[in-house]
Structures are given as C-alpha cells and as structure tokens.
Amino acid sequence: MKKEINIGLLGFGTVGSGVAKIIHSHQQDLQYKLGVEVSIKKVLVKNIEKERETVLAKDVFTNRLDEVLSDPSIDIIIEVMGGTTEGKEAIQQALYAGKAVVTANKDVMAEYGQELLRLADEKKCDLFYEASVGGGIPLIRTMEEGLAADRITALTGIINGTTNFILTKMKHENMSYEDALAEATALGFAEADPSADVDGIDAQRKMVILASLAFSTEIKLEDVFVRGLKEIQPGDLELAARFGYTMKMVGSAAKNEDGIEVAVEPVFFQNSHPLASVNNEYNAVYIYGDTVGETMFYGPGAGSLPTATSVTADVVAACRNILLGVNGKRHHAPQYERKIKTNCEMFARYFHRIVVQDEVGVLTKLTGIYSDHGASLASVIQHPDTNDEGAELVFITHKISRQQHLDVLATLKDTPEVLNVLSHYRVEGDES
C-alpha cells in the first residue's frame, strides 16, 4: 500500500505556482480524501537561480526534464509550462515513462489530443486535461462522468473571458472596441498580443477539445468555422439591443444524423437566453442532452487559482486511480467516425445590415435576391435616418443554410444598388 504520491511539476508560472500553493495549503484535506500524503518532489523551470515566493525548497527545482521523468518515485506529471511543441514532447515522454499525466495545455490537446490519448491507452496511463477548457468550471469531468449515461446533442457557450469582457464593456458602458480591449489588457484579461482571443483562435482550440469529447469523435482545428470580434461595426450592439438581442462571442457544436458542425463566432442571443446575462470575464456553457435536457455551467474561465483548482482536481482523480490500481484503465479512443457537415447542411437565422441607394424600388429588388436564393425573411427594417452613403436596411432571416447565407451576401455585394454590406451575424432564439 502506497503511503505517499509524488508529483513532478513541469512549469512554475501563474498556474504552476497556483497548483503548488493549493497542494501545500490543502494538504490536510488531500490526506483525508486520499489516505496518503501528496508531495511535489520536482519542479521543472528554465532558471533555477530565480528568486521565487514559494514554500517549496530550492533543491526541488531543476532545469532538466530527464531528472523529473527518470525519477521512479514520481507517480504523476503535471504539465503547465505551455507551448505546443515542448508541451507535447513532455507529455509523450511522461507517458512513455509510465507516469500519469495532468495537463492544462489547450493548444496541445486541441492539436494532438487524440494522438496523446491513444498513446495513454497504449501505455496504460491516465491523461487528464480538465483545466484546458473553462478554467475552474468542471466541464470535461461532467461530460465524461456526470453525463456519461446521456447522449450529448449540442453545446454552446462563452468560453473566452477576454472577448466576453470586451463585449460587456461595449454594451453596458458604450465603449469602443479599441477602448474595451485596452482596459482588458490593463486588467490582465488580454495578452499584449490579443490575437488568439479576439480572432477566436483560443475558443477554436477549446471547441475542438469539447466537441471531440462530447461527440466521441476526432474534431480537427480546420473543422471549426471561426469569425473574430474585429468585424464588429459601430452601431451593431445598439441594433442588437433594439431588436431584443445581446451579442456574445460563443463556441457552439451540434450533432445530428447529417453530421457535426462546430463554430466560433459573435452571435445575437435573445435577451431572455441565460447566456445573454453572463458578463465580464466569466464563462458559461450550455450542454444539451437527449435525456437530461439543458444544463448550464458557469464560473471563472481563467486565472491562476481557478485553473489550478481544476488541475488539482485532476491530480486527485489520478491519485485515486493509482491507489485503486486502475491507472490507465479508462478508454479514450473515439467511438464514432468523423463526419463534418457541409455549409448546405448547417441551418440558422441570420442578421444582415446593409447600406443601399435611397431610391424607389431598391427594397423590392433586394427582397427578390433573398427569394431567388430560397431565403425567407422574418424582418425587414429601414432606419428612419439615412447616413451619408445611403439608406441603412436590416434583414433578419428565417432559418436558412449557411450556404444560402453566403450566397445571399455574395449577390448583395455584387448588386449596384448595394453600397456596403456592413455586418452579418448568426441569430439564436425562438422566431417571433
């Protein structure tokens, strides 16, 4: 019977130091739950001479990965150093060494997750990755265990705190996109280079992880349709509010008999939808199951301690498996073949905002374009005022395919009477 479980911690940045703090300060609770002591034996860092505020002894730190992985007394490797190439190689080497692995690396799991999970199956080792999505929200464990008896048909949610903070400031404080981004950067919600957040790349990676798990198949990065926040035009949020909607940057995935669709984009949600009221840096995800119906998970999506809490929860799960002798007995291989829908098989309602020549007969011509593409219109609104270019029109469609949506936009842009297609968004909510 083991009396102690030792951990090798790869990385001691924001999350790594948070993990060390939790394991140290919660040692009594961990021993009560597991019946053994849990200790961090080695920590991989780049500079062992750097001064650090930590309770860990200096001789725990090393700059040699092999020193951590070759230690036979280390049972679990926690990878929180970041970086796609280095992270993947470290996880691979840990699995080859027979160690259980816990990672918070969404980049690695999005690009190489299925490969690493197959390797974990082959080497009979656990690989946990709860903290790669949702920070402190237990999404992955919920789907793997809490909803294991259900069949997930769809999920949609706010999975990037930076973009949600920006949209909150734009809506409630009338900030410009640039000013909201600047405040997010000043508060530490956005990186100096915010591209991964505002261009949807961060959310794209998270959706690959969530959709792959939800539908037990292999989703690839190129399967995810992505639009970022930079296409938002002045006045879009005001128009959304006028029609009873709130704009949110969301990731969504759905599966039916035709296949799977996955997207990351700004979406108009009806104000009555619970996601419309999720503000600032918070995350929230709706999961739809055949039997349970709708469930929602809400909480901080990032930060040192929320993410470190998820990492530590995975450590506890790995410890229990080791103590029970079932480390590596989980089955990770996808159950179903990958089948991604075409644009003709994806349906939604759409909001189109365009500027046209302020002339008689233009509206009739435009509605004819929608009709020619088989697109039915739910609402047609003309602003009472014209801008310097011309008259501004808003069209909200009934459900049409994404291909119809794209074809309509292409035709509008080629129509002489159309001066500009300002913006377009998917619309979520019951048709009125």
Side-chain angles (χ1 to χ4, degrees):
M1 178 72 179
K2 290 180 71 69
K3 296 182 179 180
E4 182 180 48
I5 290 182
N6 291 317
I7 293 170
L9 179 59
L10 310 184
F12 203 70
T14 302
V15 177
S17 59
V19 170
K21 182 177 180 180
I22 290 174
I23 289 177
H24 173 76
S25 61
H26 294 191
Q27 189 60 223
Q28 187 175 352
D29 295 331
L30 291 172
Q31 289 189 42
Y32 176 78
K33 292 175 181 177
L34 297 170
V36 298
E37 184 178 348
V38 180
S39 302
I40 295 177
K41 188 170 184 183
K42 287 290 180 184
V43 180
L44 179 71
V45 293
K46 291 181 179 179
N47 180 7
I48 59 176
E49 303 299 329
K50 180 180 177 180
E51 289 295 324
R52 296 176 174 88
E53 291 186 13
T54 176
V55 296
L56 298 178
K58 281 193 174 183
D59 60 2
V60 167
F61 293 90
T62 178
N63 56 9
R64 292 176 50 200
L65 177 61
D66 64 314
E67 187 177 334
V68 183
L69 298 182
S70 63
D71 188 333
S73 70
I74 290 179
D75 307 287
I76 301 171
I77 297 295
I78 302 175
E79 187 279 307
V80 286
M81 58 187 184
T84 307
T85 302
E86 287 184 350
K88 178 195 176 188
E89 290 176 354
I91 294 170
Q92 282 180 319
Q93 291 180 48
L95 293 172
Y96 276 115
K99 315 286 189 186
V101 176
V102 172
T103 181
N105 197 323
K106 63 178 174 292
D107 298 341
V108 168
M109 293 308 297
E111 292 193 43
Y112 305 108
Q114 295 302 319
E115 176 186 338
L116 292 171
L117 289 168
R118 283 192 289 267
L119 179 61
D121 283 347
E122 179 187 329
K123 297 301 176 182
K124 302 293 187 247
C125 295
D126 282 333
L127 172 55
F128 291 99
Y129 53 101
E130 177 69 68
S132 64
V133 180
I137 308 174
L139 287 171
I140 290 174
R141 183 161 288 105
T142 296
M143 288 195 288
E144 282 189 326
E145 299 175 9
L147 297 176
D150 204 350
R151 180 174 293 140
I152 297 173
T153 57
L155 60 91
T156 184
I158 299 164
I159 53 175
N160 182 275
T162 302
T163 53
N164 200 44
F165 179 88
I166 291 170
L167 288 172
T168 300
K169 292 295 180 179
M170 291 175 69
K171 177 181 178 180
H172 295 289
E173 299 182 25
N174 295 318
M175 282 191 180
S176 67
Y177 166 79
E178 291 76 15
D179 288 345
L181 175 57
E183 182 168 337
T185 304
L187 292 171
F189 297 138
E191 301 291 340
D193 179 2
S195 300
D197 292 320
V198 299
D199 292 342
I201 299 169
D202 174 80
Q204 176 192 28
R205 291 165 177 161
K206 293 174 180 175
M207 286 308 301
V208 167
I209 296 168
L210 290 177
S212 296
L213 181 60
F215 306 135
S216 190
T217 190
E218 182 174 6
I219 303 298
K220 300 181 179 180
L221 286 167
E222 58 264 30
D223 297 330
V224 185
F225 172 81
V226 180
R227 286 185 74 209
L229 286 188
K230 293 178 182 176
E231 296 182 47
I232 295 176
Q233 298 298 312
D236 283 349
L237 272 67
E238 290 82 355
L239 280 171
R242 176 180 170 184
F243 299 132
Y245 295 104
T246 296
M247 184 188 290
K248 292 294 180 183
M249 180 77 169
V250 299
S252 59
K255 179 182 179 182
N256 61 20
E257 62 277 3
D258 294 324
I260 295 169
E261 57 184 285
V262 191
V264 169
E265 58 187 323
V267 173
F268 280 9
F269 280 90
Q270 282 192 328
N271 289 335
S272 58
H273 195 289
L275 288 180
S277 60
V278 177
N279 292 317
N280 297 314
E281 69 276 16
Y282 281 85
N283 285 191
V285 177
Y286 249 75
I287 298 178
Y288 305 80
D290 271 351
T291 54
V292 75
E294 300 178 6
T295 55
M296 180 175 170
F297 302 86
Y298 170 88
S304 171
L305 293 182
T307 304
T309 298
S310 286
V311 171
T312 309
D314 276 349
V315 170
V316 171
C319 288
R320 283 181 172 149
N321 285 354
I322 290 171
L323 295 170
L324 292 170
V326 294
N327 178 32
K329 296 296 176 68
R330 298 189 311 155
H331 189 60
H332 298 100
Q335 182 178 356
Y336 302 105
E337 289 186 11
R338 170 172 163 267
K339 183 183 178 185
I340 306 300
K341 292 181 183 179
T342 66
N343 284 337
C344 294
E345 297 170 317
M346 306 178 196
F347 293 87
R349 300 169 65 210
Y350 289 94
F351 166 99
H352 296 163
R353 179 186 177 196
I354 63 177
V355 178
V356 301
Q357 294 176 355
D358 191 12
E359 298 174 353
V360 175
V362 171
L363 181 58
T364 301
K365 182 171 185 178
L366 297 186
T367 55
I369 291 173
Y370 283 84
S371 179
D372 290 343
H373 288 288
S376 175
L377 291 170
S379 301
V380 179
I381 302 101
Q382 180 171 351
H383 282 204
D385 300 322
T386 59
N387 59 32
D388 293 338
E389 291 182 307
E392 192 171 301
L393 298 174
V394 170
F395 297 91
I396 299 177
T397 73
H398 290 293
K399 278 193 175 181
I400 59 175
S401 72
R402 182 181 290 164
Q403 190 59 58
Q404 287 173 296
H405 158 69
L406 295 173
D407 289 344
V408 166
L409 290 181
T411 304
L412 289 173
K413 290 175 182 178
D414 285 340
T415 301
E417 290 84 356
V418 175
L419 303 177
N420 194 4
V421 177
L422 286 174
S423 54
H424 56 90
Y425 304 100
R426 184 160 59 86
V427 175
E428 283 290 331
D430 296 332
E431 296 190 33
S432 56

